[in-house]
Amino acid sequence: MVNIKGTIITLRDFLFDKESKIEISYNDEKYPIINFKKGRILSVPDYQREIRWQKETLLTLMNDISKGSKFIGNVILSLNDNINYDIIDGQQRLIALNMLVNYIKNKYSTQITDIDDLVKINLNCFDDFRTFQDSNYDLNNLQDELIREKVKNSDKLNQIPRLSQLYKSISESSIISNALDAQLFLRNLKLCTLNVIISNDPDSQISTEYYIDVNLKGIKLDVEDIFKGYLFAQDSSQTIRDLWVDFKETWIKFNATCGSKDVYPLTKILEHYLYCYILCKPEYKEVSINENFRIDKSCTVNNATYYGNEHVIKVIMNNTYMIEVLEGSKNYVKFLTDIVSTIDGVPECINTLLSEIQLSDRKIICNFIKKMILDKTLIVPKTLILKYYLTICNKKASKEECKYFYAIYFYQVLFMLFGDKKHDVEQIKKIARSESYYKETITVIKEFLDISKLMDSKLNALARWNSNYENEELQYKCKSLATIYNFFMLNQDQVKVTSSQDVDKFLTDTADYSIEHFITSQSQKVKCRNTELDLPNGVKKYSNYIFNYVFIPKTLNEQLANYHVKRKLALLEPKEQQALIKCDYSKMILELVKESFIEEMPNAEKANDPDFEKYWLVTFRNEFKNFTDKVVDKLIERFTNK
């Protein structure tokens, strides 16, 4: 990079708003290096990450400074004009240092009166940051409701919570808890030094490339930051920058709706969109990327050769495509947000895009999408939801195309039950890149159900489901499995449901299909004679086991209480009781429970009775393993027969 200059200076000369001329001496002559003018502004450009410092990082910095002046590290700036600068590297430290001085000024304004004004900092994607700063980083301190709402809305990347938390952590620490300590701390801070490097190159694209280069050679950025850096380095237009902010803001709102950012990470959405929309194009057929957006192996694109580990944005080399990716990803996240936020009924986006099919089909497809999206344990199959979305939103989808989602859901359940991540990731990438993705989905479903491969699949399933008990999503997974078992069929080259009305009823009717923790109760207790005893700790986990659930009428459910499984079976034994159970999956589970759990529960009065412990920790656990084996066999038999 050209036109670079810099030297080590103190925070007193850099952080405070006064003119600072930095010179070096050589042969008794002084040569100016940097001239920081009064009134300068430091701005965080939009390719920078949002504030991510944790409380612990800030407290470590405070503790270091409290013990004496320190070398703070490198700060890299890009000169915008004759007075203002963009922060290429070091924004997290500078904002933290700025916050510390502001805290001292606000807290000890009557005792420490000689603190100079700070250099102003503009924060990326937070237009009213300085108003928030003046409120001591607390929206509640803004008395005017309109101003408070304006500040909140200007924080496009939701940085207010993190900034507030950092500021609060200063007051909660004991490091500057009195004016004397604060004054000493401020003196040390002013004497701290940093290495300031300034680029005079006016080209923002070059500055962005420098930002990537510096960070890749030093403290590594995360995948999102690197993606964004390459994106802006290739296209520095305001259009692409605004689109990024819009996409990120939309994704943050999606997270708030879902209650977790792990449900569908932003980088995964981008990765899936690239496969479904860009890498499926003929010119990119040789391109395969990993989760870091690096190509896996050398490839040729548009007569240019790229080598392994190149970033995919450099390989795509098409600004129009990247604009379409950001715009499309934003619209897709809005679509998902509408679905996830719908409690009852069907959102308008589903009614519009799936107008060719009846309401019951729309309802269950909406239900399936919502369940798949909210399942944060299964990220890979979400690619196929996006492929389906692109099919139905890019054209007027036919009735047949609208129902393609049934195959996706069938595949997702099989993936959950039998999938091998390494192999199936490649299968899903293949589907995402295919022009006939429905046909490819049917092909991989058939591969799952290939008799010659099912033995290995069964072993994988048994290993997974005999060890993965403590998963909060297992109730949902069990109902998904029961849905496929009850209503789905693979008929030649199509996945169909026997009745969309019946599926909808099964998914929504809690009177006829209430969930029961059958083998071990949800309370993790068991009723013996007239006493309820706690199950041994080694057995309690079984209550969250995927095959522990059945779906039976609420009237029957209420009769079962916390009885031992043998007593529950006896209560359900009469024909009139059996006739009330409408779920085929539940009937299968009940039959296998009857076959598998042959030992009678000891008539113990105390939890420490040796017979009680022996049954649950030895006999029961062995029976459960045998039961699991039989369930998987029945599932395979059902799916292959259909």
Side-chain angles (χ1 to χ4, degrees):
M1 189 172 182
V2 297
N3 299 326
I4 295 176
K5 58 185 178 182
T7 188
I8 293 176
I9 65 174
T10 65
L11 284 177
R12 179 183 55 216
D13 292 325
F14 177 75
L15 199 61
F16 295 87
D17 189 20
K18 61 180 182 177
E19 186 160 341
S20 300
K21 293 183 179 180
I22 312 301
E23 302 173 325
I24 62 170
S25 296
Y26 182 73
N27 290 339
D28 296 327
E29 294 286 339
K30 290 187 176 181
Y31 297 91
I33 298 293
I34 301 171
N35 182 14
F36 285 125
K37 296 183 178 181
K38 184 176 174 62
R40 61 190 178 275
I41 296 175
L42 303 178
S43 297
V44 180
D46 46 13
Y47 54 76
Q48 282 280 13
R49 66 178 76 185
E50 59 270 22
I51 297 301
R52 297 189 187 174
W53 264 30
Q54 301 290 337
K55 170 183 175 181
E56 293 73 20
T57 312
L58 179 61
L59 293 179
T60 299
L61 176 65
M62 290 176 63
N63 189 53
D64 287 345
I65 294 175
S66 70
K67 296 175 181 177
S69 60
K70 303 293 180 183
F71 176 66
I72 302 297
N74 296 322
V75 170
I76 304 174
L77 308 176
S78 175
L79 183 61
N80 274 341
D81 48 41
N82 199 31
I83 189 170
N84 298 319
Y85 301 84
D86 279 348
I87 304 172
I88 295 178
D89 191 49
Q91 63 132 332
Q92 307 278 343
R93 280 166 291 152
L94 293 181
I95 290 170
L97 291 166
N98 183 284
M99 181 182 287
L100 286 166
V101 176
N102 269 313
Y103 177 83
I104 294 172
K105 289 181 70 173
N106 295 328
K107 178 73 173 178
Y108 304 107
S109 59
T110 59
Q111 294 137 300
I112 307 174
T113 59
D114 60 343
I115 304 176
D116 294 326
D117 290 335
L118 288 159
V119 170
K120 290 182 172 60
I121 295 181
N122 289 336
L123 197 57
N124 58 332
C125 305
F126 191 174
D127 294 339
D128 291 319
F129 167 65
R130 294 214 294 271
T131 304
F132 179 64
Q133 194 177 47
D134 292 341
S135 74
N136 295 338
Y137 299 89
D138 187 346
L139 285 176
N140 293 324
N141 291 334
L142 295 170
Q143 300 302 315
D144 189 311
E145 186 176 346
L146 292 178
I147 294 177
R148 187 164 60 247
E149 196 64 24
K150 181 174 179 290
V151 171
K152 184 179 178 180
N153 291 337
S154 77
D155 176 25
K156 295 181 180 178
L157 300 186
N158 197 33
Q159 299 181 87
I160 285 175
R162 179 62 54 83
L163 289 164
S164 296
Q165 181 188 49
L166 290 175
Y167 193 79
K168 184 179 179 183
S169 69
I170 299 173
S171 64
E172 291 174 343
S173 76
S174 59
I175 297 173
I176 47 178
S177 59
N178 58 68
L180 186 62
D181 287 343
Q183 194 166 36
L184 178 61
F185 182 89
L186 186 61
R187 187 188 70 181
N188 291 343
L189 183 145
K190 289 180 178 180
L191 293 175
C192 287
T193 56
L194 68 166
N195 183 30
V196 175
I197 303 169
I198 300 176
S199 161
N200 289 326
D201 198 309
D203 190 337
S204 62
Q205 192 165 345
I206 293 176
S207 296
T208 309
E209 290 173 350
Y210 191 37
Y211 159 78
I212 298 170
D213 191 52
V214 165
N215 281 282
L216 290 181
K217 288 179 172 60
I219 299 174
K220 289 194 174 182
L221 300 169
D222 63 23
V223 175
E224 178 189 328
D225 293 324
I226 295 171
F227 185 95
K228 182 170 57 173
Y230 276 109
L231 181 69
F232 293 168
Q234 178 174 284
D235 184 349
S236 59
S237 69
Q238 195 60 45
T239 298
I240 201 85
R241 292 165 184 265
D242 290 344
L243 277 173
W244 175 270
V245 173
D246 288 347
F247 168 50
K248 184 69 180 282
E249 187 178 11
T250 304
W251 178 77
I252 288 171
K253 291 176 181 176
F254 168 70
N255 286 339
T257 303
C258 297
S260 170
K261 67 179 181 181
D262 297 325
V263 164
Y264 203 171
L266 179 143
T267 53
K268 283 299 177 184
I269 293 172
L270 289 171
E271 179 189 337
H272 295 169
Y273 212 97
L274 287 175
Y275 267 106
C276 292
Y277 186 75
I278 301 295
L279 300 185
C280 58
K281 299 181 185 297
E283 61 264 42
Y284 301 115
K285 64 181 180 181
E286 295 183 20
V287 180
S288 178
I289 61 175
N290 57 34
E291 60 184 10
N292 296 320
F293 297 98
R294 303 281 179 176
I295 62 173
D296 294 327
K297 57 187 177 181
S298 299
C299 60
T300 300
V301 176
N302 295 326
N303 298 318
T305 300
Y306 299 91
Y307 299 96
N309 209 39
E310 290 273 19
H311 199 277
V312 69
I313 288 178
K314 295 179 70 174
V315 178
I316 293 174
M317 277 289 286
N318 189 308
N319 294 352
T320 300
Y321 282 168
M322 295 315 301
I323 287 173
E324 291 171 352
V325 166
L326 291 183
E327 184 70 37
S329 296
K330 178 189 71 175
N331 292 335
Y332 177 53
V333 173
K334 285 182 177 179
F335 168 78
L336 297 180
T337 305
D338 287 345
I339 290 175
V340 171
S341 60
T342 300
I343 305 301
D344 296 311
V346 181
E348 188 59 34
C349 61
I350 289 290
N351 282 328
T352 300
L353 296 174
L354 302 182
S355 59
E356 291 297 306
I357 57 178
Q358 59 185 348
L359 180 60
S360 56
D361 285 298
R362 279 178 262 154
K363 287 177 66 176
I364 60 177
I365 289 173
C366 181
N367 187 300
F368 289 160
I369 292 176
K370 184 173 183 177
K371 283 180 165 59
M372 288 178 67
I373 288 298
L374 292 177
D375 184 358
K376 61 185 177 183
T377 66
L378 289 176
I379 298 294
V380 175
K382 289 180 171 66
T383 314
L384 302 185
I385 303 177
L386 174 55
K387 193 69 176 179
Y388 174 76
Y389 165 80
L390 291 174
T391 298
I392 61 174
C393 76
N394 286 345
K395 59 181 180 179
K396 182 68 173 178
S398 66
K399 183 176 180 180
E400 182 181 7
E401 289 171 324
C402 290
K403 293 185 178 182
Y404 280 178
F405 198 81
Y406 292 140
I408 292 172
Y409 191 67
F410 196 4
Y411 173 82
Q412 185 259 350
V413 175
L414 291 176
F415 177 90
M416 170 199 75
L417 187 65
F418 298 117
D420 172 69
K421 183 177 180 182
K422 184 176 180 181
H423 173 263
D424 292 306
V425 165
E426 296 307 312
Q427 290 277 43
I428 288 175
K429 287 180 180 179
K430 182 180 177 183
I431 296 171
R433 302 173 78 150
S434 173
E435 291 184 5
S436 54
Y437 85 94
Y438 182 75
K439 182 179 179 181
E440 290 289 345
T441 304
I442 297 297
T443 298
V444 295
I445 288 173
K446 289 180 177 179
E447 289 180 10
F448 260 128
L449 303 179
D450 187 330
I451 295 296
S452 64
K453 298 178 181 178
L454 272 176
M455 184 53 66
D456 288 339
S457 298
K458 177 185 174 181
L459 294 175
N460 287 337
L462 289 174
R464 179 181 299 119
W465 299 118
N466 277 324
S467 61
N468 188 12
Y469 298 99
E470 299 175 8
N471 184 325
E472 62 186 12
E473 305 294 341
L474 289 182
Q475 286 190 37
Y476 143 67
K477 286 181 168 63
C478 183
K479 194 150 195 178
S480 298
L481 183 60
T483 304
I484 298 300
Y485 187 94
N486 290 339
F487 306 110
F488 278 56
M489 63 175 66
L490 177 60
N491 186 2
Q492 295 180 342
D493 291 327
Q494 287 185 309
V495 171
K496 296 183 177 181
V497 296
T498 53
S499 166
S500 57
Q501 289 88 350
D502 289 344
V503 176
D504 180 45
K505 182 175 175 60
F506 179 67
L507 294 173
T508 59
D509 188 339
T510 56
D512 279 348
Y513 300 104
S514 69
I515 189 164
E516 154 69 5
H517 295 66
F518 189 73
I519 304 170
T520 56
S521 64
Q522 187 176 16
S523 68
Q524 301 178 341
K525 296 177 181 293
V526 62
K527 192 169 183 178
C528 303
R529 292 186 177 175
N530 296 319
T531 305
E532 278 195 345
L533 302 175
D534 286 328
L535 291 172
N537 287 333
V539 177
K540 288 181 178 180
K541 60 187 180 182
Y542 287 88
S543 64
N544 292 323
Y545 183 65
I546 190 172
F547 298 139
N548 186 47
Y549 308 109
V550 291
F551 307 96
I552 59 177
K554 192 173 183 179
T555 52
L556 295 182
N557 204 336
E558 291 169 347
Q559 300 173 33
L560 302 182
N562 291 330
Y563 289 123
H564 169 49
V565 65
K566 282 288 186 179
R567 177 73 183 278
K568 290 182 178 180
L569 287 171
L571 289 170
L572 297 179
E573 184 72 26
K575 290 183 178 180
E576 61 272 18
Q577 298 281 63
Q578 290 287 313
L580 297 174
I581 301 174
K582 301 176 182 179
C583 172
D584 288 345
Y585 172 86
S586 299
K587 291 177 183 178
M588 178 268 290
I589 292 292
L590 292 173
E591 187 62 34
L592 292 182
V593 168
K594 188 175 181 180
E595 289 180 17
S596 303
F597 296 90
I598 57 174
E599 294 292 332
E600 291 293 339
M601 175 67 195
N603 290 321
E605 290 288 358
K606 299 179 181 178
N608 58 5
D609 187 300
D611 289 337
F612 183 91
E613 295 283 335
K614 181 181 176 182
Y615 172 78
W616 286 106
L617 295 177
V618 180
T619 306
F620 173 81
R621 295 174 80 167
N622 288 333
E623 290 173 341
F624 216 113
K625 287 183 172 62
N626 294 331
F627 165 72
T628 302
D629 198 352
K630 292 177 182 178
V631 172
V632 174
D633 278 340
K634 284 291 185 181
L635 292 171
I636 291 171
E637 178 185 331
R638 180 80 159 201
F639 294 147
T640 52
N641 283 345
K642 285 186 176 181

